[in-house]
Amino acid sequence: MNSISDREWDAAAYDVLADPQRTWGRAVLDRLPLRGDETVLDAGCGAGGLTAELLERLPRGRVIAVDASRQMTALTRERLEPRFGPRIRVLTADLSSLELDSAVDAIFSNAVFHHVADHRTLFGCMYRALVPGGRLIAQCGGGPNLVTVRAHIAAVAANDPLLAPLVGWDGPWNNADADTTAARLRSVGFCDIETSVTPAPVPFADTAHLRAHLTTIILRSHLHLLGPEPAQQHLLDGVIARMAADQPPLTLDHWRLNISARRPAA
Ligand SMILES: C[S@@+](CC[C@H](N)C(=O)[O-])C[C@H]1O[C@@H](n2cnc3c(N)ncnc32)[C@H](O)[C@@H]1O
């Protein structure tokens, strides 16, 4: 079960279970116009699956892949350095205090920003990481993301003494709305801003697959907070039972915040 620190992810398990994130990420890549010779920051690269697809779109370019989790950056390095050599550089760092040696032409980010508490500080760092005229194209949880699942977590926790540490806690996420995000991007200097929040429900064929996804991705921080195994099982059992009774059943009610912005040309 989950014994790693809250900053850490089980990178190998994530890589196997992250099909929804990969599907979303490919749509984000399609929104990023590239000549093929740029240097692009992958902000929150995770296990590196999408980083590889980004590099394939940059035959003469480079990617700087940054993630706060050492397990994630270790797996990304192991997979991508032999294949892409000097065209990939992997850094373990917090995006909210990121300082690069030289600015990048564009920033790609998929399923990351809702894990960051202070978006204004984050966007300021992203702005300073870009060359004048450079683009930020990103997607993350936003708006009513996982409202149903969050209600299930609260209901299960309220009725089980083992889950007391979760009572009153709405999870580790910062699901911002489109207008607030646009205002924050504008406040740090971005222009040509487009933001939207769109539904992206993810159904699961059976409880085993849902349980694995919840354990490694969605409830990672909750399970870490709970600590002992019996409490973790209570949470997973309770949430899955409620999700089985939902309409549609066994479906994560994801909503995605889509971001497109540009640093003004000098
Ligand atoms: C759901 S995964 C997405 C990974 C990858 N972009 C993908 O789409 O598969 C979220 C990632 O964001 C990273 N992350 C969260 N907060 C971060 C921060 N403040 N700085 C850097 N990385 C962060 C996590 O370590 C994790 O690898």
mmCIF file of all heavy atoms in Angstrom, residues 238-258:
data_model
loop_
_atom_site.group_PDB
_atom_site.id
_atom_site.type_symbol
_atom_site.label_atom_id
_atom_site.label_comp_id
_atom_site.label_asym_id
_atom_site.label_seq_id
_atom_site.Cartn_x
_atom_site.Cartn_y
_atom_site.Cartn_z
ATOM 1 N N GLY A 238 -15.226 1.919 1.113
ATOM 2 C CA GLY A 238 -16.387 2.810 1.227
ATOM 3 C C GLY A 238 -16.608 3.633 -0.024
ATOM 4 O O GLY A 238 -17.736 3.747 -0.525
ATOM 5 N N VAL A 239 -15.547 4.198 -0.556
ATOM 6 C CA VAL A 239 -15.684 5.049 -1.755
ATOM 7 C C VAL A 239 -16.105 4.203 -2.958
ATOM 8 O O VAL A 239 -16.985 4.591 -3.738
ATOM 9 C CB VAL A 239 -14.365 5.813 -2.024
ATOM 10 C CG1 VAL A 239 -14.401 6.486 -3.394
ATOM 11 C CG2 VAL A 239 -14.118 6.849 -0.928
ATOM 12 N N ILE A 240 -15.512 3.017 -3.096
ATOM 13 C CA ILE A 240 -15.851 2.169 -4.250
ATOM 14 C C ILE A 240 -17.308 1.697 -4.160
ATOM 15 O O ILE A 240 -18.028 1.677 -5.170
ATOM 16 C CB ILE A 240 -14.861 0.982 -4.358
ATOM 17 C CG1 ILE A 240 -13.484 1.503 -4.777
ATOM 18 C CG2 ILE A 240 -15.363 -0.064 -5.352
ATOM 19 C CD1 ILE A 240 -12.347 0.513 -4.621
ATOM 20 N N ALA A 241 -17.774 1.361 -2.950
ATOM 21 C CA ALA A 241 -19.184 0.931 -2.801
ATOM 22 C C ALA A 241 -20.122 2.057 -3.231
ATOM 23 O O ALA A 241 -21.113 1.825 -3.937
ATOM 24 C CB ALA A 241 -19.453 0.531 -1.352
ATOM 25 N N ARG A 242 -19.809 3.290 -2.820
ATOM 26 C CA ARG A 242 -20.669 4.410 -3.211
ATOM 27 C C ARG A 242 -20.582 4.679 -4.708
ATOM 28 O O ARG A 242 -21.589 4.986 -5.351
ATOM 29 C CB ARG A 242 -20.293 5.664 -2.410
ATOM 30 C CG ARG A 242 -20.801 5.611 -0.988
ATOM 31 C CD ARG A 242 -20.272 6.709 -0.125
ATOM 32 N NE ARG A 242 -20.774 6.555 1.231
ATOM 33 C CZ ARG A 242 -21.874 7.140 1.706
ATOM 34 N NH1 ARG A 242 -22.554 7.979 0.951
ATOM 35 N NH2 ARG A 242 -22.283 6.915 2.931
ATOM 36 N N MET A 243 -19.380 4.568 -5.277
ATOM 37 C CA MET A 243 -19.242 4.806 -6.719
ATOM 38 C C MET A 243 -19.969 3.732 -7.534
ATOM 39 O O MET A 243 -20.447 3.998 -8.638
ATOM 40 C CB MET A 243 -17.760 4.881 -7.116
ATOM 41 C CG MET A 243 -17.083 6.156 -6.632
ATOM 42 S SD MET A 243 -15.360 6.263 -7.158
ATOM 43 C CE MET A 243 -15.558 6.473 -8.947
ATOM 44 N N ALA A 244 -20.063 2.524 -6.975
ATOM 45 C CA ALA A 244 -20.788 1.455 -7.682
ATOM 46 C C ALA A 244 -22.271 1.778 -7.771
ATOM 47 O O ALA A 244 -22.957 1.342 -8.710
ATOM 48 C CB ALA A 244 -20.563 0.121 -6.972
ATOM 49 N N ALA A 245 -22.774 2.558 -6.801
ATOM 50 C CA ALA A 245 -24.203 2.906 -6.800
ATOM 51 C C ALA A 245 -24.486 4.207 -7.546
ATOM 52 O O ALA A 245 -25.642 4.613 -7.691
ATOM 53 C CB ALA A 245 -24.693 3.017 -5.355
ATOM 54 N N ASP A 246 -23.434 4.886 -8.011
ATOM 55 C CA ASP A 246 -23.618 6.135 -8.773
ATOM 56 C C ASP A 246 -24.270 5.860 -10.129
ATOM 57 O O ASP A 246 -24.236 4.744 -10.638
ATOM 58 C CB ASP A 246 -22.246 6.786 -9.061
ATOM 59 C CG ASP A 246 -21.723 7.585 -7.880
ATOM 60 O OD1 ASP A 246 -22.503 7.920 -6.983
ATOM 61 O OD2 ASP A 246 -20.498 7.854 -7.881
ATOM 62 N N GLN A 247 -24.766 6.906 -10.732
ATOM 63 C CA GLN A 247 -25.278 6.821 -12.108
ATOM 64 C C GLN A 247 -24.582 7.866 -12.960
ATOM 65 O O GLN A 247 -24.837 9.044 -12.756
ATOM 66 C CB GLN A 247 -26.795 7.024 -12.096
ATOM 67 C CG GLN A 247 -27.502 6.327 -13.215
ATOM 68 C CD GLN A 247 -27.028 4.888 -13.426
ATOM 69 O OE1 GLN A 247 -26.287 4.634 -14.373
ATOM 70 N NE2 GLN A 247 -27.420 3.979 -12.554
ATOM 71 N N PRO A 248 -23.671 7.528 -13.875
ATOM 72 C CA PRO A 248 -23.220 6.175 -14.219
ATOM 73 C C PRO A 248 -22.306 5.604 -13.140
ATOM 74 O O PRO A 248 -21.643 6.368 -12.438
ATOM 75 C CB PRO A 248 -22.441 6.398 -15.537
ATOM 76 C CG PRO A 248 -21.944 7.800 -15.439
ATOM 77 C CD PRO A 248 -22.997 8.563 -14.695
ATOM 78 N N PRO A 249 -22.251 4.260 -13.041
ATOM 79 C CA PRO A 249 -21.458 3.639 -11.974
ATOM 80 C C PRO A 249 -19.957 3.668 -12.260
ATOM 81 O O PRO A 249 -19.536 3.780 -13.422
ATOM 82 C CB PRO A 249 -21.973 2.192 -11.961
ATOM 83 C CG PRO A 249 -22.485 1.952 -13.334
ATOM 84 C CD PRO A 249 -22.965 3.269 -13.871
ATOM 85 N N LEU A 250 -19.153 3.575 -11.188
ATOM 86 C CA LEU A 250 -17.691 3.418 -11.277
ATOM 87 C C LEU A 250 -17.062 4.450 -12.223
ATOM 88 O O LEU A 250 -16.200 4.123 -13.041
ATOM 89 C CB LEU A 250 -17.324 1.995 -11.741
ATOM 90 C CG LEU A 250 -17.893 0.841 -10.903
ATOM 91 C CD1 LEU A 250 -17.412 -0.506 -11.458
ATOM 92 C CD2 LEU A 250 -17.522 0.960 -9.428
ATOM 93 N N THR A 251 -17.500 5.683 -12.087
ATOM 94 C CA THR A 251 -17.026 6.738 -12.991
ATOM 95 C C THR A 251 -16.461 7.905 -12.190
ATOM 96 O O THR A 251 -17.130 8.424 -11.293
ATOM 97 C CB THR A 251 -18.189 7.223 -13.887
ATOM 98 O OG1 THR A 251 -18.632 6.111 -14.674
ATOM 99 C CG2 THR A 251 -17.751 8.348 -14.814
ATOM 100 N N LEU A 252 -15.228 8.296 -12.511
ATOM 101 C CA LEU A 252 -14.617 9.470 -11.884
ATOM 102 C C LEU A 252 -15.132 10.713 -12.609
ATOM 103 O O LEU A 252 -14.978 10.832 -13.835
ATOM 104 C CB LEU A 252 -13.091 9.397 -11.994
ATOM 105 C CG LEU A 252 -12.424 8.300 -11.159
ATOM 106 C CD1 LEU A 252 -10.953 8.180 -11.530
ATOM 107 C CD2 LEU A 252 -12.573 8.588 -9.670
ATOM 108 N N ASP A 253 -15.739 11.639 -11.857
ATOM 109 C CA ASP A 253 -16.339 12.829 -12.474
ATOM 110 C C ASP A 253 -15.282 13.938 -12.636
ATOM 111 O O ASP A 253 -15.335 14.969 -11.982
ATOM 112 C CB ASP A 253 -17.551 13.314 -11.676
ATOM 113 C CG ASP A 253 -17.245 13.632 -10.222
ATOM 114 O OD1 ASP A 253 -16.421 12.927 -9.618
ATOM 115 O OD2 ASP A 253 -17.833 14.602 -9.686
ATOM 116 N N HIS A 254 -14.348 13.673 -13.555
ATOM 117 C CA HIS A 254 -13.291 14.652 -13.810
ATOM 118 C C HIS A 254 -13.821 15.845 -14.618
ATOM 119 O O HIS A 254 -14.626 15.679 -15.546
ATOM 120 C CB HIS A 254 -12.154 14.010 -14.621
ATOM 121 C CG HIS A 254 -11.188 13.236 -13.794
ATOM 122 N ND1 HIS A 254 -10.340 13.826 -12.889
ATOM 123 C CD2 HIS A 254 -10.909 11.913 -13.743
ATOM 124 C CE1 HIS A 254 -9.584 12.905 -12.316
ATOM 125 N NE2 HIS A 254 -9.919 11.739 -12.807
ATOM 126 N N TRP A 255 -13.311 17.026 -14.260
ATOM 127 C CA TRP A 255 -13.502 18.244 -15.068
ATOM 128 C C TRP A 255 -12.118 18.831 -15.272
ATOM 129 O O TRP A 255 -11.326 18.912 -14.314
ATOM 130 C CB TRP A 255 -14.390 19.257 -14.351
ATOM 131 C CG TRP A 255 -15.830 18.862 -14.304
ATOM 132 C CD1 TRP A 255 -16.377 17.885 -13.521
ATOM 133 C CD2 TRP A 255 -16.913 19.422 -15.069
ATOM 134 N NE1 TRP A 255 -17.741 17.805 -13.756
ATOM 135 C CE2 TRP A 255 -18.088 18.739 -14.686
ATOM 136 C CE3 TRP A 255 -16.994 20.434 -16.022
ATOM 137 C CZ2 TRP A 255 -19.338 19.036 -15.243
ATOM 138 C CZ3 TRP A 255 -18.236 20.734 -16.571
ATOM 139 C CH2 TRP A 255 -19.393 20.037 -16.187
ATOM 140 N N ARG A 256 -11.815 19.261 -16.489
ATOM 141 C CA ARG A 256 -10.465 19.739 -16.785
ATOM 142 C C ARG A 256 -10.461 21.229 -17.099
ATOM 143 O O ARG A 256 -11.327 21.731 -17.825
ATOM 144 C CB ARG A 256 -9.847 18.967 -17.968
ATOM 145 C CG ARG A 256 -9.951 17.458 -17.889
ATOM 146 C CD ARG A 256 -9.605 16.867 -16.551
ATOM 147 N NE ARG A 256 -8.218 16.986 -16.152
ATOM 148 C CZ ARG A 256 -7.760 16.652 -14.949
ATOM 149 N NH1 ARG A 256 -8.575 16.178 -14.018
ATOM 150 N NH2 ARG A 256 -6.484 16.799 -14.656
ATOM 151 N N LEU A 257 -9.483 21.885 -16.512
ATOM 152 C CA LEU A 257 -9.234 23.308 -16.776
ATOM 153 C C LEU A 257 -8.188 23.397 -17.889
ATOM 154 O O LEU A 257 -7.068 22.918 -17.731
ATOM 155 C CB LEU A 257 -8.718 23.974 -15.494
ATOM 156 C CG LEU A 257 -8.159 25.394 -15.601
ATOM 157 C CD1 LEU A 257 -9.218 26.379 -16.078
ATOM 158 C CD2 LEU A 257 -7.609 25.846 -14.240
ATOM 159 N N ASN A 258 -8.600 23.969 -19.023
ATOM 160 C CA ASN A 258 -7.704 24.096 -20.179
ATOM 161 C C ASN A 258 -7.138 25.509 -20.226
ATOM 162 O O ASN A 258 -7.887 26.475 -20.127
ATOM 163 C CB ASN A 258 -8.477 23.804 -21.468
ATOM 164 C CG ASN A 258 -9.261 22.515 -21.356
ATOM 165 O OD1 ASN A 258 -8.684 21.441 -21.220
ATOM 166 N ND2 ASN A 258 -10.591 22.610 -21.361
#
